Each structure stands twice: as structure tokens, then as C-alpha cells.
């Protein structure tokens, strides 16, 4: 089986994955999954699509991820893995789509506006 190359995005994060048949090794930016994501929650998020379609431990996945924060990166990886699983077997598409793993979450941080402290938060008003 050849290597499958897919991309996933979330907030400012971009994840590029390379998936091939193997024994379940997941490498993120040349580090083991549990070293890159020390919190178990993020490890669970990354493995969600594999567990959902009972393919956990069937593929070796190499991931390059950059931009954004930890949660955004984990969700970007989840999306990329879901897309790769759909390419491997079209029957995986139904359950993955039902869970929402194939939908690009387009919510981004609203930009800061001039004359405001944040995007919408005003400076404190002082009457005197």
C-alpha cells in the first residue's frame, strides 16, 4: 500500500499527515504522540477517527503540524486522519461524517478593532 498524504486545518493550525499500513506508530513533528501532546485529552482527540472505524493500530502516521495552539493542532490532525481514512475505504465516510470529523470548523479569532481593548471589549468608561 502506498503512502496517503492529506491535510487538515482548524483555527490557525495546519496538519499534514502521511499514512501507510503499519503497526500504529504515530509521530508528530518527529516526536512520539504522548511526548508532543502530554494531555491525554488531546491524544484521544487525535485517535478518535481511528477508534471510530476500528482501525486503531493498523497504520503508521507521520504528522507535520504548525500554527495555532495545542487544541487547534489536535483537531487539525483529527480532520486530516479522517480524510485519509475515507480515501482508504469509502465505507468509513458515513460514520466519520456523522461525528463531524470531515467538516472544516471555520471559526477563527475575530480581529482586534481600533479604539477597543479586544475585538469587541471596550476600554473601561470613567464618568469623572
Amino acid at each position: 500500500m502506498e503512502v496517503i498524504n492529506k491535510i487538515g486545518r482548524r483555527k490557525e493550525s495546519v496538519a499534514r499527515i502521511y499514512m501507510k499500513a503499519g503497526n500504529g506508530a504515530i509521530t508528530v513533528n518527529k516526536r512520539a504522540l504522548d511526548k508532543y501532546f502530554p494531555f491525554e485529552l488531546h491524544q484521544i482527540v487525535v485517535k478518535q477517527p481511528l477508534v471510530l472505524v476500528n482501525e486503531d493500530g493498523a497504520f503508521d502516521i507521520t504528522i507535520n503540524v504548525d500554527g495555532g495552539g495545542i487544541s487547534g493542532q489536535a483537531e487539525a490532525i483529527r480532520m486530516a486522519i479522517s480524510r485519509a481514512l475515507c480515501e482508504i475505504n469509502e465505507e468509513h465516510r458515513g460514520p466519520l461524517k456523522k461525528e463531524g470529523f470531515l467538516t472544516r470548523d471555520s471559526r477563527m479569532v475575530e480581529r482586534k478593532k481600533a479604539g477597543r481593548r479586544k475585538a469587541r471589549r471596550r476600554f473601561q468608561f470613567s464618568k469623572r
Side-chain angles (χ1 to χ4, degrees):
M1 181 184 169
E2 80 285 352
V3 175
I4 292 172
N5 179 12
K6 288 290 172 189
I7 195 166
R9 292 188 178 94
R10 172 74 172 99
K11 293 188 178 180
E12 291 288 315
S13 302
V14 180
R16 295 169 190 84
I17 71 155
Y18 305 91
M19 184 186 279
K20 64 179 183 223
N23 55 3
I26 300 177
T27 311
V28 184
N29 290 353
K30 299 180 181 173
R31 289 172 21 208
L33 179 68
D34 58 334
K35 297 281 186 251
Y36 192 83
F37 292 116
F39 296 115
E40 196 174 339
L41 177 72
H42 296 128
Q43 295 172 31
I44 291 167
V45 167
V46 168
K47 290 182 178 179
Q48 268 179 324
L50 295 165
V51 172
L52 184 69
V53 296
N54 298 321
E55 295 282 4
D56 197 19
F59 300 102
D60 285 344
I61 306 171
T62 305
I63 304 161
N64 293 327
V65 65
D66 62 302
I70 301 290
S71 294
Q73 288 186 353
E75 291 179 30
I77 292 168
R78 179 176 72 183
M79 181 186 195
I81 291 172
S82 300
R83 286 177 168 177
L85 288 168
C86 285
E87 188 169 312
I88 289 165
N89 186 350
E90 198 59 42
E91 291 173 13
H92 294 330
R93 187 168 179 79
L96 289 169
K97 193 165 179 67
K98 188 170 174 272
E99 280 310 308
F101 296 161
L102 296 172
T103 307
R104 163 70 160 104
D105 192 341
S106 61
R107 292 177 296 174
M108 302 286 266
V109 176
E110 191 174 341
R111 79 173 196 86
K112 186 194 171 299
K113 314 299 188 305
R116 301 278 175 103
R117 205 169 79 190
K118 289 169 51 179
R120 297 183 181 201
R121 173 82 167 100
R122 290 184 163 91
F123 290 110
Q124 186 171 344
F125 176 73
S126 173
K127 199 165 193 177
R128 287 178 188 86

